[in-house]
Amino acid sequence: MTEAKPATTERLVDERLVLTYFIAALAYMTISMLAGMLMALQLVHWNPLRGLELLSPGRWRMVHTNAIAYGFLANAFLGALHWAIPRLTLRPVLDRRLSWFIFVAWQVVVLSTAAGIVLGPTLQANSPGLAALPFSLGAQGVEWGETPTWIDPLALAGLLLVAVNFMAPIIKTPGPLYVTLWYFMAAFVWTFLTYAMGNFLPQYSLAGTSAGAVSGLFIHDLVGLFVTPLGWGLMYYFVPILLKKPMWSHGLSLVGFWGLAFFYPLNGIHHFLYTPIPMFLQHGAIISTIAVEMVVTTVIINFFGTIWGSGRAIVTNLPIRWFYTGMIFYAITCAQCALQTTLTFQALIHFSDWVVGHAHLVMFGVFSMWLLGIMTYLFPRIWRTSWYSQNLCEWHYWLSAVGLAVMALDLTLVGVFQGYYWASLQPWEVSVDGSVPFWMVRVFAGLAMFAGQLCFFYNLWATWRLSRGVAATSSPRPSVATRAPAGT
Amino acid sequence: MFESKSGVLLVGGLGFFLFAFLSNAVVPALLYRDLPEATTTELVAKNAQVMYQFEELSNCYPEQFKKYFGEPTQENCAKALELGRQIYVNEGCWHCHSQFVRPVSREVDRWGPVARTEEYQNVLQRPVMFGTRRVGPDLSREGGRHASDWHAVHFYQPKLVSHGSTMPDYPWLFDGAPDRPNQRGLAIITYVQWLGSWLESYPYYEDYQPLEIERPEAPAEESAATPAEDSAATPAEEAT
């Protein structure tokens, strides 16, 4: 794994595009967090904006998840891919203009998803012309696929273009490929297929139980076959570069990739255990979930084997700290997975906040952490400067990590309580009242995470101003700008 | 194969995905291929209970009903169900309410019979509304559990009838007052009353005979029930 000489890579990578993707991603992160906050406040009776149709917590909850998946994660991934793929293949993407076209098209997809979810139902109810449309302008009834049906084809076309644009340099690269590229290539195929399967089949051709099975596959594949491979692919790229040493074991990388490829897609139905979906399929999903957890453990071992001996980097190198924190959360999530997929656990915790905690652990604790780490590394590098404030970087990290840890712990715990409240057959309200104190903790944990982002934004802005001042004097490229001056 | 482009793309990317798709999605679809998927019209035609609820709505809110749906015919009921389901999806009700009763965790005691595949073979379950989170209770046995005017007040402002409820207010389903549900309001009430109405033990909690009962009082009085009266009625109702 070698990084090509800067002189070549500079012309290969469209750095402005990378930056633009990151900024867009952060904007959606803000929207998503505010939307989540609205629902959190609703749950503790503190929603100050009750009864406003366009601020309906139910609609904004869908904006919350979609803005994170398609707004933050997708944009941040695309930015990072535009950095990593040309450097790995030593070839530019298919076409720069196409890259920018995809950028714009994707923002149209994400923004119209949000607009559709929030405004669609209102418009349709108040205008007879729109009411006559044969489809709903608002959300689609598929979890993580709430993208309104009328946007789905556009989103799918966008995914196809993304794949074409990135596959061009990969296909031209000779010889056995590096791990990162296995993950990326597979992810392009999987994301496209997953999106098509989840958004079209349950809507147009299947009803009832079998549609439930497909929805389960979709929920799971979206995390497992879109987010996970891109995330791990990037880790296999950035971790060795930042640590300046190769991965610990190539054999384990192989096990990790092929294990994921085989077992992950088989997991979907574990989201709908105890439904009328045939029991043998439920059992199959449970067994393959446990298999995935074993596979994933090998990947984690591989990464901890890599950092073995350079452990101090976790203290001194902020991006590495983000990455490894994410991996620890990943290990926790996966341990949780292996437990919660069992029927015994499901009986108690399904439908409860345990699952919500789990989702935050994965989407924020793992993948957002990785991407924020990548951004912490790349922003100053692209701006040819160092961070305006190392302290604010630390605040960003600690507020995010601690906030998320508190939130996940809190929701996991209340999930167990809820399970017992329900099974005890007390009136429903008892379970709601009993959850409120935990939900309050969640509000504050969320505020901490949000405050962390604000630190980041301020720091970004100040760093950008700094870079404009520095550009005139054209300083030499700093090495890893975020590394603390002392200690390394 | 393990590190080559064609291996990764064809075996990992395409092959394994298709294998999972065949075994996890095509198999259940084949298993249930003989269960016909009912249209909304068929659902209404076979289901006297939901028609009863629809008629009751027209008695409860005659003016509003006339304005938005006209007569309580089967055709209009089907229309209301479809609109109601669309609201259920668009407003994200399904992120706070599930629609299936599990055979565990004493759910049968709380809600009624365990969910069966046949119940979901209809267009109103496309995409299926199993749900994944219960902030509020499961709704698949909700029909007939409360009167329609309870639902109206509840949707207008849940706290009025369910103290401490964290469910959001939905005043936009009304023309300004809880006794004036608009088209969307009437539709979502119909939809909620439909849930579970296909079961023989409907409504699960109260032992009343649908359809044969003529509504005794003047509907105007009924709909004028103030929220305070309604909330007083709730504990008694729950005690049964």
Side-chain angles (χ1 to χ4, degrees):
Chain A
M1 157 109 253
T2 50
E3 205 184 335
K5 290 182 212 76
T8 13
T9 51
E10 233 139 73
R11 256 176 286 122
L12 289 178
V13 174
D14 188 347
E15 294 187 344
R16 268 196 28 170
L17 182 61
V18 177
L19 282 182
T20 316
Y21 264 122
F22 284 173
I23 302 282
L26 291 171
Y28 293 119
M29 163 85 98
T30 315
I31 295 174
S32 172
M33 283 184 150
L34 290 174
M37 191 52 71
L38 185 73
M39 185 48 117
L41 290 175
Q42 171 69 36
L43 288 181
V44 296
H45 309 292
W46 290 345
N47 181 1
L49 304 162
R50 258 190 303 272
L52 299 178
E53 176 165 11
L54 294 184
L55 288 173
S56 161
R59 294 185 198 171
W60 280 89
R61 183 217 179 273
M62 298 189 267
V63 173
H64 171 62
T65 50
N66 281 271
I68 268 300
Y70 305 108
F72 176 74
L73 290 177
N75 274 309
F77 274 137
L78 285 170
L81 291 179
H82 271 289
W83 176 271
I85 290 184
R87 286 169 161 260
L88 269 171
T89 57
L90 298 180
R91 284 172 179 76
V93 293
L94 181 66
D95 191 322
R96 252 175 213 227
R97 283 158 307 172
L98 179 62
S99 307
W100 281 95
F101 174 76
I102 293 174
F103 173 80
V104 174
W106 194 252
Q107 309 322 311
V108 172
V109 166
V110 180
L111 289 173
S112 38
T113 299
I117 290 175
V118 174
L119 297 172
T122 310
L123 291 177
Q124 218 158 12
N126 294 318
S127 128
L130 293 175
L133 288 177
F135 56 89
S136 151
L137 287 180
Q140 181 182 6
V142 177
E143 195 173 21
W144 289 106
E146 287 92 350
T147 321
T149 46
W150 51 279
I151 306 176
D152 286 336
L154 184 61
L156 203 61
L159 292 176
L160 188 65
L161 289 182
V162 168
V164 171
N165 200 23
F166 285 128
M167 280 308 287
I170 298 180
I171 288 293
K172 284 184 224 143
T173 311
L177 298 172
Y178 180 62
V179 199
T180 298
L181 292 178
W182 315 336
Y183 278 102
F184 288 173
M185 281 199 305
F188 297 139
V189 180
W190 286 332
T191 309
F192 182 83
L193 291 177
T194 300
Y195 197 91
M197 169 184 78
N199 283 279
F200 297 127
L201 285 186
Q203 183 76 35
Y204 302 110
S205 51
L206 288 174
T209 309
S210 22
V214 174
S215 299
L217 286 183
F218 173 70
I219 299 175
H220 202 73
D221 288 357
L222 201 72
V223 181
L225 300 183
F226 154 54
V227 180
T228 305
L230 290 181
W232 278 118
L234 289 170
M235 285 302 99
Y236 276 106
Y237 174 73
F238 281 106
V239 166
I241 281 187
L242 284 178
L243 291 178
K244 296 192 171 22
K245 55 177 173 176
M247 287 303 299
W248 184 56
S249 157
H250 188 69
L252 281 186
S253 309
L254 278 168
V255 173
F257 173 78
W258 285 98
L260 177 123
F262 184 73
F263 287 113
Y264 224 124
L266 293 170
N267 287 358
I269 289 175
H270 73 198
H271 289 263
F272 291 117
L273 298 182
Y274 290 121
T275 52
I277 295 173
M279 223 47 211
F280 69 93
L281 290 176
Q282 299 189 24
H283 286 142
I286 295 170
I287 292 166
S288 42
T289 307
I290 294 172
V292 160
E293 305 329 329
M294 293 182 191
V295 169
V296 153
T297 311
T298 66
V299 178
I300 293 171
I301 290 175
N302 199 1
F303 274 88
F304 278 87
T306 305
I307 202 171
W308 198 259
S310 331
R312 257 194 77 76
I314 292 194
V315 183
T316 55
N317 187 324
L318 204 48
I320 284 288
R321 198 194 306 159
W322 281 102
F323 297 162
Y324 276 82
T325 314
M327 284 179 213
I328 291 169
F329 283 133
Y330 195 80
I332 299 173
T333 323
C334 293
Q336 233 185 2
C337 267
L339 292 175
Q340 76 196 18
T341 189
T342 58
L343 287 168
T344 326
F345 251 72
Q346 274 294 302
L348 182 68
I349 55 101
H350 193 200
F351 296 124
S352 77
D353 270 326
W354 170 296
V355 184
V356 181
H358 181 73
H360 282 89
L361 209 50
V362 185
M363 293 309 244
F364 191 90
V366 183
F367 298 105
S368 301
M369 285 257 181
W370 287 352
L371 288 164
L372 290 172
I374 291 174
M375 289 182 192
T376 304
Y377 171 51
L378 287 185
F379 269 120
R381 205 182 145 123
I382 293 178
W383 280 332
R384 316 277 188 274
T385 174
S386 46
W387 279 105
Y388 160 78
S389 159
Q390 199 64 37
N391 263 340
L392 281 175
C393 282
E394 292 282 338
W395 276 102
H396 180 209
Y397 170 81
W398 285 106
L399 284 171
S400 303
V402 174
L404 184 271
V406 170
M407 180 184 284
L409 194 70
D410 176 67
L411 290 175
T412 308
L413 204 60
V414 70
V416 175
F417 280 102
Q418 286 161 351
Y420 281 117
Y421 276 129
W422 298 338
S424 73
L425 291 188
Q426 300 195 62
W428 193 265
E429 290 69 23
V430 176
S431 79
V432 174
D433 292 342
S435 306
V436 167
F438 291 90
W439 288 337
M440 289 188 178
V441 173
R442 185 251 299 267
V443 168
F444 289 104
L447 282 174
M449 286 154 71
F450 189 62
Q453 299 313 307
L454 292 183
C455 293
F456 191 48
F457 297 156
Y458 178 73
N459 206 3
L460 261 183
W461 181 73
T463 308
W464 175 72
R465 295 217 351 196
L466 206 68
S467 75
R468 303 206 357 143
V470 169
T473 54
S474 178
S475 63
R477 163 188 289 270
S479 55
V480 177
T482 43
R483 189 167 298 172
T488 32
Chain B
M1 162 203 146
F2 291 119
E3 294 165 294
S4 74
K5 277 165 249 175
S6 49
V8 170
L9 280 177
L10 297 177
V11 181
L14 215 53
F16 289 172
F17 185 93
L18 287 181
F19 174 65
F21 181 71
L22 285 176
S23 58
N24 282 249
V26 177
V27 166
L30 288 178
L31 277 175
Y32 298 130
R33 69 182 183 284
D34 294 333
L35 284 180
E37 180 185 331
T39 63
T40 322
T41 324
E42 287 164 6
L43 287 176
V44 174
K46 277 191 293 194
N47 186 334
Q49 334 261 31
V50 72
M51 276 310 294
Y52 170 80
Q53 293 289 356
F54 198 56
E55 277 162 31
E56 194 198 51
L57 265 180
S58 74
N59 290 332
C60 229
Y61 308 105
E63 261 174 57
Q64 298 295 102
F65 195 93
K66 189 122 214 110
K67 179 164 164 204
Y68 292 114
F69 283 104
E71 294 302 312
T73 59
Q74 288 194 359
E75 202 190 358
N76 286 333
C77 185
K79 242 175 62 191
L81 280 178
E82 274 161 16
L83 181 60
R85 182 206 133 77
Q86 183 173 327
I87 295 160
Y88 189 84
V89 173
N90 285 344
E91 296 291 355
C93 310
W94 50 295
H95 286 302
C96 277
H97 293 283
S98 60
Q99 284 190 23
F100 70 97
V101 177
R102 305 183 300 163
V104 290
S105 204
R106 301 176 74 186
E107 291 185 6
V108 175
D109 298 334
R110 190 187 278 278
W111 286 302
V114 172
R116 290 190 350 264
T117 294
E118 297 75 34
E119 299 180 49
Y120 297 90
Q121 292 300 117
N122 57 66
V123 279
L124 293 182
Q125 292 292 350
R126 194 180 337 146
V128 70
M129 284 290 110
F130 280 155
T132 50
R133 175 76 181 92
R134 285 177 184 156
V135 177
D138 187 90
L139 292 182
S140 60
R141 309 289 180 247
E142 179 64 22
R145 195 174 169 182
H146 295 286
S148 289
D149 53 355
W150 184 94
H151 282 296
V153 177
H154 185 254
F155 284 128
Y156 189 77
Q157 197 172 322
K159 279 198 169 68
L160 291 176
V161 284
S162 173
H163 182 76
S165 173
T166 51
M167 177 160 146
D169 304 351
Y170 291 95
W172 55 89
L173 306 180
F174 298 83
D175 289 335
D179 58 352
R180 294 171 54 76
N182 61 21
Q183 187 173 32
R184 287 191 278 173
L186 293 167
I188 190 77
I189 296 174
T190 313
Y191 178 75
V192 166
Q193 294 287 23
W194 168 71
L195 292 168
S197 64
W198 50 80
L199 295 176
E200 277 172 21
S201 52
Y202 166 92
Y204 193 66
Y205 293 84
E206 296 154 52
D207 207 11
Y208 80 18
Q209 317 266 289
L211 274 182
E212 278 134 43
I213 300 175
E214 285 292 315
R215 290 190 59 77
E217 317 137 55
E221 255 174 44
E222 179 78 3
S223 59
T226 64
E229 276 166 9
D230 243 291
S231 69
T234 324
E237 212 174 272
E238 259 165 21
T240 52

